[in-house]
Amino acid sequence: MSTGGLLVLAGGGHSHALVLKRWAMQPEQRPKQNIVLVNRTSTALYSGMVPGLIAGIYSPNELAIDLRQLCDRAGVAFLRAEITGLTPQQNCLRLRDRPELHFDWLSLDVGAVSRPSAMGIPIKPLEASLAFLKSEEANDPRPLRVIGAGAAGLEVVLALRRRWPQRALQLQQRSGQLDPALQQVLQQARIALVNDDSHHSGPSLICTGSQGPAWLATSGLPVDPDSRIRTDRCLRVEGHPSLFASGDCAVISAAPRPASGVWAVRAGRPLATNLEAACQGQPLRPWQPQREALQLIGSHEDAAWARWGSWRLGPSPLIWRLKQRIDRAFMAGFQRPPTMPDAAPMACRGCAAKLPAQPLGAALERVGLGGQPEDAALLPGNQELLQSMDGFPALVSDPWLNGRLTALHACSDLWACGAEVSSAMATITLPMIPANDQQELLVQTLAGIRSVLDEQGAELIGGHTMESRSAAPLPASLGVQVTLTVNGSSSKPPWLKSGLRPGDALLISRPLGTGVLFAGAMSGATKAPDLDAALRGMACSQHTLLQQVEPVRKDIHACTDITGFGLLGHLGEMLQNKPGLTIHLDGPAIPAYAGALELFERGVSSTLAPSNRTAWRWLEGPVQLEQHPSAALLELLVDPQTCGPLLLACSSEAAAQLTQNGPWLQIGSAAAAHG
């Protein structure tokens, strides 16, 4: 069982990435507390390879550290959220569009941003500057200027020369800043060297130094003139014994070093050691960083410089090969170790954790509850009020996001009946951890649930909490289980699964593939951008679809939501007791989330998929695929979905109208079996 207290790692910089790597590889070193990493993106770019990315030598995935996967391996919860502020007196981290996060220990590695300037696009944060460079054309007649002739500006402008062999480039320096040798390199690369006072009206990239994020300056923490947090030699924030800081956002007061990826990497081990000691109440160890560090700076050709203080060697092809070898070895250290061939697959979460269709159906029959399944039930004696219940073990380690996803998934049953959600009640089971940690999980989970209900004008009117009697997992947030009873109403007759008619078009509202993407994530097979895209889709509420379809509501004959039994299983429920119907599916038209089909081709599937494959029997009868299906498509048809799409059956006229605007795609049609 976890000891009390929450350790929050704020930011996914190099120091924190190395701390997580240490705990993933040496779990005995990991503090026993609950630990959370908060970062605005699920990946972090390794700064040493960014110039190579700008030059076009590397693809983005080659220098992207997958923070979500790294957290998963280290037993750390991952929250993808933007940090907006810090109140150290209340031990509170503020997040955009989320409840604040209370902590007992905090480590800050939130990077830096370029100093503000009206002259151009700042190089940091990198997402914005890389998007800017992507939008620029290689044959644009306007010269692009890099402002700042330090090591960063020099390396960036030379990378741009490799990216754009013919485009006019300029490097702006302080008068006399660069020595003759560097000036000659620039001349050979056809890069114009200009001084600060020269006028420029074209596009510019600012590389004139960095500072801490603006919210640090207003946090009340001790900072230097560049808003970098002042720490002691133990990387502890001065005057705040439970706060630590490292990387570009921090500076050791007694041993100041420039903001650099080199120092952020060097700080990883001492930071980990001191975080572990702090959480155990043990003495901290001071760190004495060396005065200088070796820097390897690439040129526009296959060559690089080595620099140590004022000493410089190169450019040389040998140094370039050394730099590439070091960079690739650094990134290789973050790769997940291969899974043992005989290792049992981890059980899938979310809606993939539901009971398979066969034992569920058999159990219902034995107690007299069989018959036509529907998504929600009309309350007895009332033709307008509907109710449904849904829930599952935590799908993600972020309790706010998990609460939101569970609520969206549960509300989907009412949307599939054409009903608006009015209220909900929640049953939340919390892991066996200290009471303060349970309270934080409950706050975040309830806030996630309410974020869904508030969007619909619905209320959370009550609920119940329980404590699990099983040992808490790592991270403990994966031990949260949410079940929601959702209530709603419809002034018009609800849509039923059983209303399919000959001539109906089948429309789907969003892609499939969440089951295999999360199954792949557990083994490290899913790419971070693919999982991000799926989570963005899943976290988007579909309640607005009800307003969209209202003009053609009378032409909608049947509807369901695609969840744990997959498209084919839920389509089979619509066909139950419909012997006179045939469904024609257009396989290539069925949308899939990016990466899903590739994972199927590699043999990845959800642990619920084997039982779902019994639904393939429908393909031997009333469901016909218009084209010969690939193995990947067959798996997609039975992939269990969490927050899956709505499947709508409507007239062809309504289908033509709905598919013109909005998310609806036609994937098939219904016909009379012998017509």
Side-chain angles (χ1 to χ4, degrees), residues 231-318:
T231 75
D232 61 19
R233 292 186 183 274
C234 299
L235 302 179
R236 185 171 47 188
V237 179
E238 293 177 347
H240 297 268
S242 61
L243 272 61
F244 294 77
S246 64
D248 289 357
C249 72
V251 60
I252 301 175
S253 293
R257 299 291 186 269
S260 167
V262 173
W263 300 116
V265 168
R266 298 282 176 86
R269 185 177 182 85
L271 177 64
T273 300
N274 284 324
L275 288 176
E276 293 156 10
C279 290
Q280 297 170 27
Q282 297 178 353
L284 307 186
R285 298 180 185 178
W287 176 46
Q288 177 58 55
Q290 62 193 66
R291 186 168 298 277
E292 301 288 352
L294 178 66
Q295 287 183 296
L296 302 178
I297 303 173
S299 76
H300 66 296
E301 298 171 328
D302 290 338
W305 290 280
R307 190 168 77 172
W308 180 282
S310 59
W311 175 84
R312 187 170 66 236
L313 177 66
S316 161
L318 182 62

Side-chain angles (χ1 to χ4, degrees), residues 407-579:
L408 288 168
H409 188 85
C411 289
S412 183
D413 283 336
L414 290 189
W415 302 333
C417 295
E420 295 182 352
V421 175
S422 58
S423 64
M425 300 185 76
T427 300
I428 301 176
T429 303
L430 296 164
M432 279 199 299
I433 55 177
N436 285 343
D437 296 348
Q438 288 180 329
Q439 176 181 314
E440 190 64 31
L441 285 179
L442 184 59
V443 166
Q444 299 291 329
T445 301
L446 288 172
I449 294 170
R450 286 200 58 185
S451 72
V452 172
L453 299 176
D454 290 347
E455 290 176 0
Q456 304 175 75
E459 295 185 48
L460 185 62
I461 58 175
H464 183 65
T465 58
M466 293 186 290
E467 182 183 72
S468 172
R469 287 296 176 259
S470 302
L474 280 179
S477 54
L478 286 178
V480 177
Q481 298 192 40
V482 179
T483 301
L484 285 168
T485 300
V486 185
N487 309 299
S489 62
S490 174
S491 59
K492 300 172 183 176
W495 301 324
L496 302 177
K497 293 182 181 180
S498 55
L500 267 173
R501 302 179 186 177
D504 277 351
L506 288 179
L507 308 186
I508 196 170
S509 64
R510 63 171 41 155
L512 302 172
T514 62
V516 72
L517 287 168
F518 279 94
M522 290 192 290
S523 64
T526 302
K527 297 174 184 175
D530 294 342
L531 194 58
D532 286 343
L535 280 168
R536 281 195 301 272
M538 294 164 65
C540 182
S541 179
Q542 297 189 94
H543 74 278
T544 56
L545 296 179
L546 297 184
Q547 290 90 46
Q548 185 195 10
V549 304
E550 185 60 30
V552 295
R553 184 180 178 114
K554 61 180 175 56
D555 294 318
I556 297 173
H557 305 138
C559 188
T560 189
D561 60 337
I562 302 171
T563 56
F565 299 146
L567 169 60
L568 205 51
H570 290 287
L571 184 58
E573 291 178 338
M574 298 177 79
L575 286 168
Q576 192 170 316
N577 303 319
K578 290 283 183 179

